[in-house]
Amino acid sequence: MSTTPPVLAAELAQAWADIQRYHSELPDLAAPESLIGESSSACGAELSFERLLHEAVHGIAAARGVRDTSRAGRYHNRRFLAIAEEMGLDHSEEPHASSGFSLVALNPEAKRRYRPTIERLQRALKAHTAATAADTKRSFRGPAARHGSSGGGVRVKAVCDCGRNVRVVPSVLAQAPIVCGGCMKPFRIPEVAVAAAS
């Protein structure tokens, strides 16, 4: 049985398209479902429009060839902050010691601009949470799940036939295929990585 939440994935894709209307250099979101159920201490554990806009900052940084993070993607530097500010995200003056400027928040203008998008996404997230709550209560997902983690932890490289790659928690990839926007083939974890993880 597929656990892919198609309505939520579609709403994430639409929200991303809404951001692209204001920031045309933002690349397409190849796999909205990769954001569902994934937790990241650097970027915020909860999926929300604010989190999606945060990820869009990384997308624009990549399109511009800007290195916006260090320390394996945990520390968000001032180049990240500059793009975040362009996109309507603010940060307190002082960077966090380990995550830098990662904890950004929507400014009032961005809240007004994206209000309909935020409301649509919140409805989809609420419906998704309600639909999956019963399954979560009945299934054991290990100690990490009880402490607010994604349960997967370590991200590994998944590749597609055209050579593109993404970092993903294996349990997220196991839920449903993540399809490459370039070649329309699913990302897969190479056998070498699977053997090393066992």
Side-chain angles (χ1 to χ4, degrees):
M1 181 175 88
S2 171
T3 57
T4 304
V7 173
L8 182 53
E11 285 297 339
L12 285 166
Q14 182 58 54
W16 192 266
D18 291 349
I19 298 168
Q20 285 177 313
R21 265 188 277 162
Y22 295 98
H23 304 280
S24 59
E25 66 186 309
L26 179 63
D28 290 340
L29 182 60
E33 50 287 326
S34 67
L35 295 172
I36 300 167
E38 184 181 316
S39 175
S40 167
S41 60
C43 303
E46 274 190 40
L47 183 55
S48 63
F49 181 76
E50 202 164 74
R51 166 85 188 280
L52 193 64
L53 199 56
H54 175 122
E55 296 302 327
V57 172
H58 291 303
I60 286 184
R64 293 178 182 176
V66 171
R67 186 169 179 206
D68 63 339
T69 63
S70 58
R71 301 180 198 165
R74 288 186 307 276
Y75 190 87
H76 293 58
N77 60 35
R78 290 192 183 276
R79 290 181 292 272
F80 170 86
L81 181 59
I83 298 170
E85 287 172 347
E86 284 177 40
M87 297 183 71
L89 292 166
D90 290 333
H91 188 277
S92 60
E93 290 298 313
E94 294 299 314
H96 186 273
S98 62
S99 62
F101 296 100
S102 69
L103 299 177
V104 287
L106 285 165
N107 67 28
E109 182 184 340
K111 284 180 185 175
R112 281 190 299 276
R113 173 186 294 166
Y114 293 112
R115 184 176 175 193
T117 304
I118 292 166
E119 289 173 353
R120 270 194 342 261
L121 188 57
Q122 283 177 336
R123 283 193 300 273
L125 285 165
K126 187 175 179 181
H128 173 68
T129 301
T132 57
D135 292 339
T136 304
K137 288 176 188 169
R138 288 193 305 252
S139 59
F140 178 74
R141 293 174 50 219
R146 294 194 303 273
H147 299 289
S149 161
S150 66
V154 179
R155 295 180 191 194
V156 297
K157 182 164 72 171
V159 298
C160 68
D161 287 350
C162 69
R164 296 177 73 208
N165 65 72
V166 295
R167 292 267 174 200
V168 63
V169 176
S171 62
V172 171
L173 191 59
Q175 290 176 9
I178 297 174
V179 179
C180 172
C183 68
M184 303 311 289
K185 300 278 175 85
F187 284 96
R188 57 185 165 60
I189 299 172
E191 296 301 320
V192 177
V194 174
S198 331

